[in-house]
Amino acid sequence: MFPGIHEQMDIIRRGADEIIPEDELVKKLERSIRENKPLRIKEGFDPTAPDIHLGHMVSIRKLQQFQQLGHQVIFLIGDFTGMIGDPTGRNEMRKHMTKEEVLQNAETYKEQIFKVLDPEKTIIDFNSRWHSKLMFEDVLVLTSKYTVARMLERDDFEKRMKAGKPISIMEFLYPLVQAYDSVALKADVELGGTDQKFNLLVGRDIMSEYGLEPQVILTLPLLVGLDGTEKMSKSLGNYIGINEPPNEMFGKTMSIPDHLIYTYFELATDVPNDELARIQQQLKDPAVNPRDVKRRLAFEIVKIYHGEVAAKAAQEEFERVFSQKQLPDNMPEFVLKKSEGKIWIVRLMASAGLVKTNAEARRLIQQGAVSIDGQKITDTNLEIEAEKDFVLKVGKRRYAKIVVKE
């Protein structure tokens, strides 16, 4: 038994950028209710990076909403297309991944998505299942169903052409290969970020060419990262990973700019729609401190991925450390031996696991983001004498207790 059409559309519209075309989706849902048959909801993922962050989860959580409405969710891992590489947003040819790299990342993806999707109700599929069986004549038939002129309408291809940068024929094939996934799966709806709109529209066209009812496409916004300007990305360091510890996740959420609070509530939490409206009003009220609303946001996000108990503990720890200016209870320890003499601050930061590279350590010191026992460090060449225990702090949330032993 499916919810009514209006209830379903209210949930589906939440956070969506575009539904193309919406009237077709309504007709599909009406038929689904009438025939008591779930729609097939598809989203494809090229597993080019092993870690999922909140930006990835925007569309995965939309899959969860369709699942909760009773529809069939297909999480498609592009093990075949992943070896080509999606040219979306690229100004140069992408380095190709090996099959082993793709499959290793795919396994990591599968572990993480079940933090929100129901494993019993989710179809995990791999597009090599059909693409690896296509004959060359099948590929030629597929390429005959789309024109070069249409392909060059794609914004990133057009820019590369004007800049005189190469575009491989394989990259031209990518949107067609992705579109054929929808043919193979007979998708009713396909989800993707706004940057995937071209690929998704090609899917509609190709399905029609193969005599199938075209899929409806639903695009979702690209979640802006912690810096408040660029889309969330691990390479930019402005992300919140869903496998990060509760305290880290809570603290990172508290660092987002105030203008993103409502967007994060809408796209990254389970707060009901009527509550969203109240939050929007609160954020417009000058008497309300945005920090208090953001605290609720951080709690809701941590609760999704770590549970309510962990969310409460993370909130209490945040209050204790940042509001009351105390040190965290559970700081990692790093042992220094007196016999080692002096140690370079940059090397210490890296050895204690507070930074990944020496370059990052130098940059943070120059930015004034490093302190020892509350005393800011500004000299990147500082040599520290191993005499007594001290607390090394990097940024707002990274601490290490340096223990000096004989």
Side-chain angles (χ1 to χ4, degrees), residues 189-208:
V189 180
E190 182 170 16
L191 275 57
T194 51
D195 59 339
Q196 288 291 317
K197 182 177 176 179
F198 181 91
N199 290 345
L200 304 181
L201 286 171
V202 175
R204 275 181 60 81
D205 293 340
I206 296 300
M207 289 183 79
S208 296

Side-chain angles (χ1 to χ4, degrees), residues 210-226:
Y210 279 89
L212 298 173
E213 181 182 284
Q215 64 187 13
V216 170
I217 70 172
L218 189 154
T219 60
L220 293 144
L222 303 178
L223 190 67
V224 175
L226 305 181

